[in-house]
């Protein structure tokens, strides 16, 4: 023990320190270094100076954790996860005026398309739900500028100084990796989650903060968390791997476009909700993509075409996708709800709750609408 009588070191004390010239990781120092030795050494401290030294060392370690995690005030490991509802309440009260200016609630149609829409199209969203639709679309407009971290970012985009934003990132990371510890704001660990680079904010073009909010919903809802973790595990597969978070952003883009084209108005009017419908449809679309990807042994070469097929199904048959998600949620744990998709052409038409079969074309690349493209 430092400060004790005698100059000789015991062998177990020498093992706690790295060889000369080596810099151990912070986690190793925290658990095996001088601080741990002070805490675990048998017997009372020699004097009050060591207790004061221990207190200062503890404060320094906590400060290091705060800096590395990007969270101010609380260390990453102690920062509580944020629920979807808490994060949503933040956006409901935040100043999104700049984002709202860019919102185009619906797709404008002219000529024959407008006439067909008037007579044969889906119903319009009821007036009392339009504020909630505007909020969802405003969140989708809250994007970060694709510039270095120190540069200017658009108002409402992912903000390093906004604690709620950082808690959203940390919660997604912890839930997908099943880790109790936080992570730095920038780094290669985000690429392991399926972002394209060290900064997740630059991958939210086209979906903005709504892209992160839907990931948060996916991992914080107890009914969909097992599905999210199953999909993330598949995304790490040796041959069937794909970037989980980029795939998620693409699915958010698809459901936002379905909302703007009023393909979800009937369901929103029925449930008197907009954001909840968007979230359920996002999870349902991800479930469908997961089933096809896993059981039909798809790879990244198939992703563009599968996403195009999924976009078509989301706009034309949202109710069917939602029923499929409901069946998964209600399935027994033993069955896991992840049945193989029905083979194409298997007798009869598509019934409610039955899986949609995608066309199995592997070498056709399709350009996705918007900025968020997987290929």
């Amino acid at each position: 023990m430092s400060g004790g009588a005698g100059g000789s070191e015991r062998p177990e004390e020498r093992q706690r320190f790295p060889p000369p010239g080596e810099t151990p990781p912070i986690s190793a120092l925290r658990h095996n270094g001088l601080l741990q030795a002070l805490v675990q050494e048998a017997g009372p401290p020699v004097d009050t100076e060591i207790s004061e030294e221990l207190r200062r060392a503890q404060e320094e370690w906590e400060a290091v954790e705060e800096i590395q995690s990007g969270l101010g005030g609380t260390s990453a490991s102690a920062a509580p996860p944020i629920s979807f509802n808490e994060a949503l309440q933040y956006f409901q009260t935040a100043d999104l005026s700049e984002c709202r200016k860019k919102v185009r609630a619906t797709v404008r149609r002219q000529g024959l398309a407008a006439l067909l829409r008037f007579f044969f199209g889906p119903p319009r969203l009821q007036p009392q739900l339009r504020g909630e639709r505007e909020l969802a679309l405003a969140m989708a407009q809250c994007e970060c500028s694709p510039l270095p971290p120190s540069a200017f970012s658009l108002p409402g985009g992912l903000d390093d100084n906004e604690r709620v934003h950082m808690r959203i990132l940390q919660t997604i990371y912890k839930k997908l990796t099943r880790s109790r510890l936080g992570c730095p704001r920038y780094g290669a660990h985000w690429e392991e989650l399926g972002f394209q680079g060290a900064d997740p904010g630059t991958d939210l073009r086209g979906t903005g903060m709504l892209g992160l909010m839907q990931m948060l919903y996916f991992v914080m809802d107890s009914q969909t968390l097992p599905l999210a973790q199953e999909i993330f595990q598949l995304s790490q597969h040796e041959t069937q791997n794909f970037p989980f978070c980029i795939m998620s952003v693409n699915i958010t883009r698809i459901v936002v476009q379905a909302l703007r084209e009023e393909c979800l108005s009937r369901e929103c009017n029925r449930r008197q909700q907009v954001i909840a419908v968007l979230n359920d449809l996002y999870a349902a679309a991800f479930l469908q993509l997961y089933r096809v990807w896993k059981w039909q042994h798809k790879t990244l070469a198939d992703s563009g075409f599968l996403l195009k097929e999924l976009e078509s199904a989301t706009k034309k048959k949202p109710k069917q996708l939602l029923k499929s998600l409901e069946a998964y949620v209600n399935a027994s744990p033993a069955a896991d709800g992840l049945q193989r998709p029905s083979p194409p052409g298997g007798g009869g038409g598509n019934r409610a709750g039955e899986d949609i079969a995608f066309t199995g074309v592997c070498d056709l690349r399709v350009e996705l609408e918007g900025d968020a493209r997987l290929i």
Side-chain angles (χ1 to χ4, degrees):
M1 182 174 183
S2 61
S8 61
E9 282 185 301
R10 290 191 291 272
E12 60 268 26
E13 282 184 335
R14 287 197 300 271
Q15 291 175 3
R16 292 190 182 106
F17 296 90
E22 278 193 25
T23 302
I26 287 177
S27 59
L29 285 175
R30 181 176 177 88
H31 296 294
N32 301 312
L34 176 60
L35 180 60
Q36 192 74 0
L38 288 171
V39 173
Q40 293 183 347
E41 191 71 42
V46 173
D47 51 39
T48 57
E49 287 186 9
I50 293 181
S51 298
E52 182 64 19
E53 180 183 350
L54 178 59
R55 184 187 64 79
R56 288 198 304 270
Q58 181 70 39
E59 291 176 354
E60 289 175 4
W61 282 120
E62 290 177 353
V64 169
E65 283 185 335
E66 290 171 15
I67 293 170
Q68 288 216 339
S69 67
L71 289 169
T74 307
S75 66
S77 57
I82 187 169
S83 69
F84 178 82
N85 286 337
E86 183 183 351
L88 182 60
Q89 287 172 5
Y90 160 80
F91 284 105
Q92 288 171 332
T93 57
D95 180 12
L96 303 181
S97 54
E98 292 298 317
C99 300
R100 291 179 187 272
K101 290 178 183 177
K102 298 180 290 181
V103 168
R104 297 292 179 268
T106 58
V107 175
R108 295 181 180 178
R109 297 175 176 84
Q110 296 179 342
L112 181 60
L115 192 63
L116 290 173
R117 164 66 182 78
F118 179 80
F119 286 107
F120 305 108
R124 294 190 180 278
L125 194 68
Q126 293 174 359
Q128 68 270 23
L129 299 175
R130 291 172 188 170
E132 189 177 351
R133 176 179 64 186
E134 184 178 309
L135 173 62
L137 295 177
M139 287 192 289
Q141 291 294 336
C142 294
E143 302 175 355
C144 278
S145 176
L147 296 173
S150 59
F152 172 80
S153 62
L154 295 178
L158 188 60
D159 185 353
D160 291 8
N161 298 317
E162 176 49 63
R163 182 170 174 77
V164 169
H165 292 192
M166 297 300 102
R167 285 179 65 198
I168 291 172
L169 276 181
Q170 292 288 326
T171 302
I172 292 170
Y173 175 84
K174 290 179 182 180
K175 288 291 185 178
L176 287 178
T177 61
R178 310 186 193 205
S179 171
R180 294 186 302 106
L181 302 177
C183 63
R185 167 66 176 85
Y186 302 94
H189 50 278
W190 294 117
E191 296 179 47
E192 295 173 6
L193 252 65
F195 288 104
Q196 294 184 93
D199 179 10
T202 60
D203 288 334
L204 303 179
R205 297 182 300 277
T207 65
M209 290 301 296
L210 184 62
L212 282 183
M213 285 291 286
Q214 292 210 302
M215 285 187 226
L216 179 67
Y217 158 79
F218 206 26
V219 300
M220 287 303 289
D221 188 288
S222 60
Q223 294 180 314
T224 58
L225 173 59
L227 172 62
Q229 292 175 334
E230 282 283 334
I231 297 175
F232 180 67
Q233 184 177 353
L234 178 63
S235 76
Q236 309 293 305
H237 192 272
E238 183 178 356
T239 59
Q240 290 188 271
N241 61 82
F242 58 87
F244 176 92
C245 291
I246 294 299
M247 189 72 79
S248 172
V249 167
N250 274 273
I251 293 175
T252 296
R253 180 196 61 79
I254 287 172
V255 299
V256 166
Q257 191 63 19
L259 177 67
R260 292 187 67 242
E261 293 183 17
E262 300 184 281
C263 302
L264 311 182
S265 297
R266 192 185 307 278
E267 185 66 18
C268 291
N269 291 342
R270 186 184 71 82
R271 291 172 55 173
Q272 288 295 293
Q273 295 173 312
V274 175
I275 292 177
V277 172
L278 277 181
N279 286 340
D280 286 348
L281 188 60
Y282 159 89
F286 224 150
L287 169 63
Q288 183 60 32
L289 186 68
Y290 168 75
R291 285 169 162 166
V292 173
W293 196 284
K294 181 174 183 178
W295 298 117
Q296 295 184 15
H297 306 287
K298 300 301 182 182
T299 66
L300 273 176
D302 309 309
S303 59
F305 188 77
L306 290 180
L307 283 170
K308 198 67 178 178
E309 289 281 303
L310 186 63
E311 182 171 4
S312 176
T314 302
K315 292 177 181 179
K316 294 179 181 179
K317 301 176 181 179
K319 187 175 181 180
Q320 187 174 324
L321 284 174
L322 290 170
K323 284 187 175 294
S324 182
L325 177 67
E326 183 180 2
Y328 162 76
V329 168
N330 293 333
S332 65
D336 197 28
L338 298 177
Q339 298 90 358
R340 293 175 181 265
S342 303
N350 285 324
R351 296 181 300 276
E354 184 178 300
D355 293 327
I356 300 170
F358 288 113
T359 306
V361 178
C362 298
D363 56 353
L364 177 61
R365 293 176 181 250
V366 180
E367 287 294 311
L368 298 177
E369 299 174 8
D371 292 323
R373 295 188 179 96
L374 200 62
I375 298 179

